[in-house]
Amino acid sequence: MLLAKCVLLLVLQVLSCRGEFFSSTSGLEKLFETEVVLLAELQNYVNEINQHAEALQSEIDAIRVEHLNAADGIDDYLNNPVNAFRLIKRLHSDWETFEGSVTADSSRSNYLDTMARLKENLSFPSQDDFVGSAIALTRLQQTYQLDVAELASGILNGVKYGTAMSWQDCFVLGQHLYALRDYNHTVPWLQQSMQLLGEQSYGSESASLDFMEAVVEYHREMGAHESALSLVNHVLSIEPDQRSHLLEARQQLEELITDGDKNGLLHLTARRPGDYHGSREFRMYEQVCRGELAPLPSKQRSLRCRLRKSRLGYAPFKLEELHLDPLVVQLHQVIGSKDSESLQKTARPRIKRSTVYSLGGNGGSTAAAFRTSQGASFNYSRNAATKLLSHHVGDFSGLNMDYAEDLQVANYGIGGHYEPHWDSFPENHIYQEGDLHGNRIATGIYYLSDVEAGGGTAFPFLPLLVTPEKGSLLFWYNLHPSGDQDFRTKHAACPVLQGSKWIANVWIRERNQDNVRPCDLERGQEISLNYRDFD
């Protein structure tokens, strides 16, 4: 009974800390190191108070299992979104419970003093990290149509990657989705939580049934009558006499279901008119990410692979045409693993939350929920690896790299994504003072890592999905030869399902590129105008 009450208390604790880690898998290593230190300190305390160690030791053993699972490959472990969520959740919520469990013991002062010192020097997730990791899991669930039970079991797209989530993990996730008013996702996570709770050795104890009764009220408030009734029936099947007060609730729920009642939060929170996430374009993007929407065979017959000679004496480029109009190509094996890893190493100390150009009219940039990654920018003269990236793009395209923006190296975190967008600027874009280089004529994306699942570059209107391939370069033109935006080039970074995605973005401006891509006498933008305000 003591253990049941202890684990039930875990889900009610919230710890507010600092730092942003969810938007980059790189930062998660610091959190893992934090938990290693915290775990050692807690173990020392438990060794000193053996008579009170039973409940604490059970929690330690559970986390030890996580660390043993990670021992064979820390990167693979941290790249798993479920493992990342559980790591953030433990540091965000569980450790304060451990501290609270020792406050009544006379030997607690040394442990608490040590924890206070550690909190000043170690990395801890913030509330934003906790919420961000929760939203990332539901983003993966929605984009890739993942089954909640499988996702909670550590299964992603049919492959078992990591440790299963506990019933507490599922409940805390559901609880925060409820607070975020994401009721459609709240219901299945609460259902999964209660199913897992019922499977525990203490699942039939009164404390557990009390908790289930409380969750019934969540479902009733949301209008999830079937879920509420199922939970009521489960509780009554275990303690029919002690829980007879639920008989009336069961009758009410059965009547609401029979009457087809549609009251509740689930039915009051329909998407607002104009919500982009409910648009046909966004659905197309998700379909491309899942591989359900792809170019027709008739459109692919004319595509070719060929070698293209380097003008600078490098090995010939292995060019694959992915789309002809607009032109999208992928160059394979452009840079080696050594350079890819060097760029990641250079960027790690400097990466911070990626931003997008602000629509406020000041030409600045800001962080946005529709882009979750971290990045760092470098001048191409920074080192040999950055120079090589510039040389290859200039060599292949013939474009003048003197008019390229700084190289941006980016890392995508838990469910990291970038929703559909254009790289080129709109006609009303306000350029920063002194920026006379014009619009972004072309984009290059160097893939600095393979991605185990998800993380592709999606072009909803083509429709085309490009799978990240370490060492390759994806290239396309953002503008028509007339200089007008080619609205067909809207693209997105699909959420990373498993793995760590590292890329290097190359954006080239249109000034002094006339010798390579001269302006047409006619604008010729009509072919893409239908995609400007696509619904």
Side-chain angles (χ1 to χ4, degrees), residues 114-175:
T114 300
M115 290 298 294
R117 290 194 301 272
L118 291 175
K119 286 182 178 180
E120 294 297 320
N121 300 303
L122 296 178
S123 300
F124 283 83
S126 67
Q127 177 71 11
D128 286 344
D129 285 307
F130 186 67
V131 172
S133 64
I135 293 175
L137 279 181
T138 60
R139 180 187 308 125
L140 293 172
Q141 176 190 342
Q142 177 173 316
T143 303
Y144 297 108
Q145 296 183 343
L146 303 177
D147 178 74
V148 168
E150 289 192 351
L151 183 56
S153 298
I155 298 174
L156 306 175
N157 267 359
V159 180
K160 177 75 172 178
Y161 284 106
T163 307
M165 298 172 70
S166 67
W167 74 263
Q168 298 100 319
D169 296 332
C170 295
F171 176 78
V172 171
L173 177 54
Q175 190 180 45

Side-chain angles (χ1 to χ4, degrees), residues 346-367:
T346 301
R348 283 179 190 275
R350 296 181 53 181
I351 59 174
K352 59 184 180 180
R353 180 67 182 270
S354 298
T355 60
V356 297
Y357 275 93
S358 173
L359 297 179
N362 60 3
S365 59
T366 183

Side-chain angles (χ1 to χ4, degrees), residues 142 271-272 274-283 535:
Q142 177 173 316
R271 292 193 185 277
R272 298 184 301 274
D275 184 349
Y276 177 62
H277 295 99
S279 67
R280 183 160 64 103
E281 177 183 307
F282 194 80
R283 290 196 300 272
D535 179 18

